[in-house]
Amino acid sequence: MEKRISCCGTICSECEYYPDGCRGCEEIEGRVFWLKYTGESICDIYDCCRKQKNFVCCGQCDELPCRRYERDDPTKTPKENEADHCRQMKTLKEYKEIENLVLDLRQQDSRKAYESLKVLKQKSQEDAFVYSFLDDFIQMMEDKNSYFRTRGLQLIAVNARWDEDNKIDEVIDKYLKHIMDEKPITARQCIQALPEIAQYKEGLKADIVEALQHAKPERYRESMIPLVKKDIEEALQKIKCL
C-alpha cells in the first residue's frame, strides 16, 4: 500500500481506519471521524496548516510544535497519544530535510546536488512528501541551466505516481519538448524517464509515444545520434510492455 501522510505528520495509511473508515486527511479535507467527539467541523491542525497558511504540512511552520498538538485523540490512551506525537514530529522533521535537499538541487557544487537528487528520487518512491515540491521541479525543467533542467525532469517523472492533481498533465507538452532538448544529455535523461510517466499516467501514454516517434535525433552531433535513437527505441518498447 502506498504511504499516505497528512499535513500534521500522521501516516494515514498506517491507521486501522484507512482506507475503508477514512480515506485520509487530504481526501476528506480534515473532516476526520473523531470530530464527533469534539463537536468541531474540521481538524484545527488541518484548518490552520492547509486552509489558513496554505502550507503542505506543519513542517513548514516556524511555530511547530504549537498548542494544537497538545490536544489528544479522544479515542486513544495517553500512551498511544504520546507515541503518535513522537511519530508526527519525526515525520515533519523529515519534511524539513526534504525541503533542504530540494534547495540543494540548485547547488553549484554538482556532487552535492547529485547526492541530493539521488536521495530525493529514492524518497519519491516511498511516499508523497517529495511530490509536495513538484512545482519547484516544473520550474527547474524550464531553467537555462541544463543540469537544473535534467534534475527537474527526472524528479517530475519519478513523482508521477503521486500526481492525483494532474499537474503533470498540465505541463506535459513542455515536458515532451525536452525529448529534443538543446543539450543531448538532458534529452537522453528526459527520454529515459518517460516510461515512468506513462506507467502512472495512462491518459498521457499516446502523447508520449507520438512525441517519441516524431523525434529528430539527427539534430545532434554524429556521436550522439545512435545513443539518442537507442534511448527512444528502448523507451517505446518499455511503454509498449506496460
Side-chain angles (χ1 to χ4, degrees):
M1 181 184 294
E2 296 174 344
K3 187 185 289 187
R4 295 290 179 179
I5 302 173
S6 72
C7 64
C8 69
T10 297
I11 302 176
C12 297
S13 51
E14 294 181 358
C15 176
E16 61 181 301
Y17 298 102
Y18 181 87
D20 296 331
C22 177
R23 302 190 309 279
C25 283
E26 285 302 308
E27 285 288 325
I28 62 177
E29 297 185 337
R31 293 175 175 82
V32 289
F33 71 93
W34 50 258
L35 291 173
K36 63 185 178 182
Y37 298 102
T38 68
E40 298 165 287
S41 60
I42 188 172
C43 170
D44 57 349
I45 294 178
Y46 184 91
D47 183 52
C48 174
C49 178
R50 302 290 281 128
K51 299 291 186 180
Q52 297 180 34
K53 296 181 178 178
N54 200 31
F55 288 158
V56 171
C57 76
C58 296
Q60 296 174 275
C61 185
D62 294 332
E63 298 176 23
L64 184 74
C66 69
R67 59 175 177 78
R68 295 175 180 83
Y69 280 86
E70 296 173 4
R71 187 176 68 174
D72 291 340
D73 183 336
T75 67
K76 296 184 177 182
T77 66
K79 188 175 182 179
E80 288 173 329
N81 276 301
E82 183 180 357
D84 285 348
H85 183 264
C86 290
R87 281 195 294 268
Q88 285 174 301
M89 294 304 110
K90 180 181 178 181
T91 300
L92 294 171
K93 181 181 178 182
E94 180 185 357
Y95 179 90
K96 199 67 179 177
E97 292 171 351
I98 290 173
E99 188 174 42
N100 290 331
L101 288 170
V102 172
L103 291 173
D104 285 344
L105 291 172
R106 293 182 179 272
Q107 281 271 358
Q108 293 304 314
D109 183 343
S110 58
R111 181 178 297 179
K112 186 173 183 179
Y114 178 66
E115 288 302 317
S116 295
L117 174 64
K118 286 201 299 183
V119 174
L120 288 168
K121 288 175 71 175
Q122 177 59 42
K123 287 184 176 294
S124 295
Q125 298 178 38
E126 299 169 1
D127 57 54
F129 258 11
V130 178
Y131 174 78
S132 304
F133 297 90
L134 190 72
D135 290 341
D136 296 83
F137 307 147
I138 290 172
Q139 287 183 0
M140 291 179 69
M141 176 179 72
E142 297 300 311
D143 201 280
K144 292 181 180 179
N145 186 310
S146 63
Y147 292 105
F148 295 172
R149 291 201 303 275
T150 300
R151 294 165 197 159
L153 289 163
Q154 291 182 69
L155 286 166
I156 289 170
V158 77
N159 279 281
R161 70 194 68 203
W162 309 112
D163 189 33
E164 295 178 355
D165 297 331
N166 292 322
K167 290 184 177 182
I168 294 176
D169 301 55
E170 295 173 3
V171 299
I172 191 61
D173 289 342
K174 292 180 180 179
Y175 193 102
L176 293 176
K177 287 180 181 178
H178 293 285
I179 290 175
M180 291 287 98
D181 192 276
E182 63 182 61
K183 297 290 186 179
I185 300 301
T186 300
R188 294 192 66 196
Q189 292 294 332
C190 173
I191 294 165
Q192 292 168 19
L194 284 170
E196 189 156 22
I197 294 180
Q199 179 180 355
Y200 295 100
K201 291 288 192 177
E202 179 69 28
L204 299 180
K205 191 183 294 185
D207 291 335
I208 292 171
V209 168
E210 183 179 6
L212 286 169
Q213 290 175 335
H214 287 84
K216 305 291 184 184
E218 294 77 14
R219 67 171 296 180
Y220 300 121
R221 63 179 183 271
E222 188 173 349
S223 61
M224 292 301 300
I225 294 175
L227 297 175
V228 177
K229 282 186 174 180
K230 183 179 179 182
D231 289 334
I232 292 173
E233 291 171 1
E234 291 181 351
L236 285 169
Q237 183 59 36
K238 288 179 180 178
I239 294 171
K240 183 179 179 180
C241 293
L242 292 176

